[in-house]
Structures are given as C-alpha cells and as structure tokens.
C-alpha cells in the first residue's frame, strides 16, 4: 500500500511541480492528463440529468477510486509484490463504504425522494410493488457484487498464473530434455496470461468505477 | 546480481522466478511491438498541443501583415500627395509651401506608423496577459488553493 501511495504521489508531483506543470506536456504529464480526461468523460457521460457544476462535484471521488484501483491492480502485476485488491476484505470494504456513503449522501441531498429511483419511469402500476422490491434487492446487492467481482477477477488471474508457473517450475527441475521441451508450453501460456492480467487489471478498475 | 541475491537468500528459486522471467519477457516483447505506437501517439498529442498554442498566438502575425499592408498604402498615398503637390502650379505656391506639405505628410506617416507598432505590441502584451490570467485561474483552482505559488505559475506561463 505504501509503495502504491508512493507511485501515485510521485506521478502527481511530476504533474504539479513548477506550479502546475508545463503548457506543452511531457510523457508523464500526458499520462496523468489522459487518466484525468478519461474519468472526466466518464463522469460527464454516465451521470445524466444534472447540470455541469453538479456533475463535477462527484468527479474527485470517482477519480480517486479509479486511480486507486488502477494502481493497486497494476502494482499487483509486478513479480514478488502483493496485490491488495485480490483480498476479499479490501474490495468488500471499499465497495461497502462507497455504497453506504452514496446512500447517505443521496438521502441528505434528496430526502425521501431518493427512493424514487427504485421505481423506473414508465412502469405499469400493477407491476410496481414487485419492481420496487426487485430494485431494492438489486441496489443492496450491488455493494456485494462490486467487491466480489473485483476480488474474483484478481484472485483468479493471479492464482492461474501461479499454478501454471508451478507446473513450469516442476518441469524445469526434472533435468530431462523432454520435460524441458514440454516446459515451453506453460512458459508461453504464462507470458500470454501476464498480458491478459494486465488488461484485466485496467478493465476491472474501469468496471468498478462505472458501476458505482 | 542474481547470484549475489540468491546466496544471501534474498532471491529464492521457486516458481515466482518463472513469473518474474515471463513478466520481463512480456515487457520486452510489448515494448518492441507496441513501444513505437505508444511513443507516436504521445508525441502526436504533444505536437497537436504545440500547434494549437502556435495557432492561438498566430493572429498577432496576421495583424502584423495587415499593418505592413497599411504602411504600404500610406506610402503610396504619400507619393500621390507628393506628385499632386508637384503638379500644382509653382507660381501659386512658394517652394517653402511644398516642402512644408511634404514634411507634414512625412510626419503624419511616421506618427501613424509609430501608432500602429505600439498597437501591435500592446495587443501582444494584452493577449499574453489574457493567457496568463486564464491559465492561472484554471491551474490555481485545480491544484493550488493557496496563493504562494501564484508568481511562479505566472512566470512559467509567460515563458510558455
């Protein structure tokens, strides 16, 4: 976690040094600007029905969540390191705290009118009781699903890589030419899986953020 | 380095080494295949920002061209005035009158030229100040809530 914080702070310092960076950005500043623009577009497109200023109030929370998950996942890809988000407690804690926070803020801003989103527009009245119940269960389950999705993806990916590399290592230690040639298969698969895991790491950060 | 670390039991030979080797192999492979694309994309973005900045500052060049054109027209009109003065019957006007008119026209032309140049430079300064103020406001509200770095931000953007 400290390493992760160090990376993020270093990047932020790179952008904000010299009193706000350069007008014509260098590579690192471009990277941070790309992440910033990406989350800004995400917030503007996904949050509908509100004015620009109100939408921007949610931007810092979304940006911090996305950046935290992205860097945690990417840090876990480094060999011999620790993946924070592959632990159930972390992902569940994050998703539950965000869920509780959003609910409290929703009730504070809108009062009991916040419950109106449980009944989507255009629904026939006889269906309303069942739909409200369904939406309520779906809303409450969202906290669990966000955490479990992230945990499962990270855990499964890293477990698969470790298991396959275990096969490769056992075959390598056999001191037999046949096993050595057969070892190339798991090696290539582990290389391909590393690429897949990198993609999954970035994607899961995006999915978590967009489903908040 | 690997032998030293393994002898000191920092680096342990297990399957994690395979993961590390595969990771390094993947990074090298992706750098060879995608490194140029990524670099080209980033460089393209930087160049686009640079060009946009240049185009923003270019309207001043257009003003300069217009002022040059105006100077040329003024010189032509001065020449015409000169020929008109010359064509006046010399019996009516004294030679001093002709010289006075020419001197007046020259002075007017120089005054107009000086005014044009001043207008260009003041417009450039105003534009620079506008850019400085605009970026200062946007950057300071995003990054620096306090006012201690304002001067350095202003200097940097002036240089930019």
């Amino acid at each position: 976690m400290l390493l992760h914080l160090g990376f993020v702070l270093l990047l932020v310092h790179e952008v904000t040094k010299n009193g706000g960076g350069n007008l014509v950005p260098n590579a690192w500043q471009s990277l941070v600007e790309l992440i910033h623009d990406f989350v800004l577009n995400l917030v503007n497109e996904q949050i509908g029905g509100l004015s620009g200023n109100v939408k921007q109030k949610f931007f810092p929370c979304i940006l911090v969540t996305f950046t935290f998950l992205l860097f945690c996942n990417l840090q876990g890809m480094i060999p011999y390191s620790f993946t924070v988000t592959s632990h159930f407690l972390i992902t569940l804690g994050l998703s539950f705290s965000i869920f509780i926070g959003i609910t409290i803020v929703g009730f504070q801003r809108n009062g009991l009118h916040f419950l109106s989103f449980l009944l989507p527009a255009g629904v026939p009245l006889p269906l309303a009781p069942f739909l409200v119940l369904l939406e309520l269960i779906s809303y409450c389950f969202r906290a669990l699903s966000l955490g479990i999705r992230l945990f499962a993806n990270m855990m499964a990916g890293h477990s698969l890589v470790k298991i396959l590399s275990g096969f490769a290592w056992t075959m390598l230690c056999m001191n037999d030419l046949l096993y050595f040639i057969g070892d190339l298969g798991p090696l290539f698969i582990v290389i391909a899986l590393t690429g897949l895991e990198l993609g999954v790491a970035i994607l899961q950060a995006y999915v978590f953020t967009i489903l908040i | 380095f690997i032998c030293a670390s393994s002898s000191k039991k920092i680096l342990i030979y297990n399957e994690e080494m395979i993961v590390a080797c595969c990771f390094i192999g993947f990074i090298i492979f992706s750098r060879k295949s995608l490194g140029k694309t990524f670099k080209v994309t980033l460089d393209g973005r930087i160049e686009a920002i640079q060009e946009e900045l240049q185009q923003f500052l270019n309207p001043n060049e257009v003003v300069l061209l217009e002022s040059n054109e105006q100077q040329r027209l003024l010189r032509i009109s001065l020449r015409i005035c000169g020929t008109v003065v010359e064509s006046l019957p010399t019996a009516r006007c004294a030679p001093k009158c002709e010289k006075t008119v020419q001197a007046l026209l020259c002075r007017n032309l120089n005054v107009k030229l000086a005014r044009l140049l001043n207008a260009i430079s003041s417009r450039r300064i105003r534009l620079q100040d506008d850019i400085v103020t605009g970026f200062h406001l946007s950057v300071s509200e995003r990054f620096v809530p306090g006012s201690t770095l304002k001067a350095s931000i202003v200097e940097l953007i002036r240089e930019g």
Side-chain angles (χ1 to χ4, degrees), chain A residues 44-73:
Chain A
N44 285 333
E45 280 168 21
Q46 294 299 322
I47 301 177
L50 295 169
S51 71
N53 283 338
V54 180
K55 277 189 209 180
Q56 290 312 309
K57 284 186 185 169
F58 300 109
F59 174 71
C61 173
I62 308 283
L63 179 68
V64 165
T65 312
F66 179 75
T67 316
F68 172 71
L69 288 173
L70 182 71
F71 281 97
C72 274
N73 292 347

Side-chain angles (χ1 to χ4, degrees), chain A residues 16 19 21 25 30 33 80 162, chain B residues 16 19 26 45-46 143 153 156:
Chain A
T16 57
S30 280
E33 283 177 8
Y80 293 104
K162 292 282 185 337
Chain B
E16 194 72 27
V19 176
F26 177 79
R45 187 172 181 266
I46 291 168
F143 291 115
I153 291 168
L156 169 80

Side-chain angles (χ1 to χ4, degrees), chain A residues 142-170:
Chain A
R142 195 200 302 180
L144 214 62
S145 75
L146 276 177
I148 290 176
R149 185 185 299 112
L150 184 60
F151 154 73
N153 272 291
M154 289 295 114
M155 173 69 115
H158 284 90
S159 304
L160 195 58
V161 166
K162 292 282 185 337
I163 290 167
L164 280 169
S165 64
F167 287 156
W169 181 252
T170 314

Side-chain angles (χ1 to χ4, degrees), chain B residues 58-75:
Chain B
N58 265 346
N60 277 337
E61 304 305 318
V62 171
V63 167
L64 194 63
L65 285 170
E66 281 175 10
S67 67
N68 284 341
E69 185 61 31
Q70 279 183 8
Q71 281 173 41
R72 198 179 61 84
L73 288 170
L74 274 170
R75 281 186 215 281

Side-chain angles (χ1 to χ4, degrees), chain B residues 53-154:
Chain B
L53 199 65
Q54 277 299 316
Q55 273 173 14
F56 193 62
L57 294 171
N58 265 346
N60 277 337
E61 304 305 318
V62 171
V63 167
L64 194 63
L65 285 170
E66 281 175 10
S67 67
N68 284 341
E69 185 61 31
Q70 279 183 8
Q71 281 173 41
R72 198 179 61 84
L73 288 170
L74 274 170
R75 281 186 215 281
I76 290 169
S77 62
L78 175 68
R79 236 177 275 143
I80 292 169
C81 289
T83 46
V84 161
V85 164
E86 276 170 15
S87 66
L88 280 172
T90 48
R92 278 202 201 165
C93 310
K96 243 189 197 176
C97 178
E98 185 186 317
K99 278 186 185 167
T100 317
V101 166
Q102 270 191 354
L104 267 170
L105 283 169
C106 278
R107 206 176 64 185
N108 278 344
L109 180 68
N110 286 334
V111 160
K112 279 199 172 124
L113 193 66
R115 234 182 264 160
L116 258 168
L117 288 172
N118 282 341
I120 291 165
S121 64
S122 69
R123 191 166 165 173
R124 207 172 261 189
I125 289 167
R126 247 184 295 139
L127 192 64
Q128 248 182 336
D129 283 337
D130 285 341
I131 293 173
V132 161
T133 323
F135 276 110
H136 167 228
L137 285 171
S138 60
V139 165
S140 64
E141 78 179 0
R142 287 251 182 228
F143 291 115
V144 182
S147 60
T148 50
L149 288 173
K150 268 183 193 168
S152 57
I153 291 168
V154 164

Side-chain angles (χ1 to χ4, degrees), chain A residues 15-16 18-27 30 33-34 36-37 59 77-80 161-162 165-166 168-169 172 187 190-191 194-195 198, chain B residues 11-23 25-27 38 42 45-46 49-50 53 131 135 139 142-144 149 152-153 156-157 160:
Chain A
V15 171
T16 57
N18 298 332
N22 306 315
L23 271 179
V24 181
N26 57 10
S30 280
E33 283 177 8
L34 279 170
H36 180 272
D37 285 341
F59 174 71
M77 291 310 304
I78 301 168
Y80 293 104
V161 166
K162 292 282 185 337
S165 64
W169 181 252
L172 204 63
L187 267 178
V190 171
I191 292 176
T194 309
L198 270 170
Chain B
L11 193 71
I12 301 167
Y13 287 146
N14 58 4
E15 66 273 3
E16 194 72 27
M17 255 194 85
I18 302 264
V19 176
C21 294
C22 290
F23 182 75
F26 177 79
I27 296 292
F38 195 59
L42 274 179
R45 187 172 181 266
I46 291 168
I49 293 172
Q50 252 173 353
L53 199 65
I131 293 173
F135 276 110
V139 165
R142 287 251 182 228
F143 291 115
V144 182
L149 288 173
S152 57
I153 291 168
L156 169 80
I157 293 169

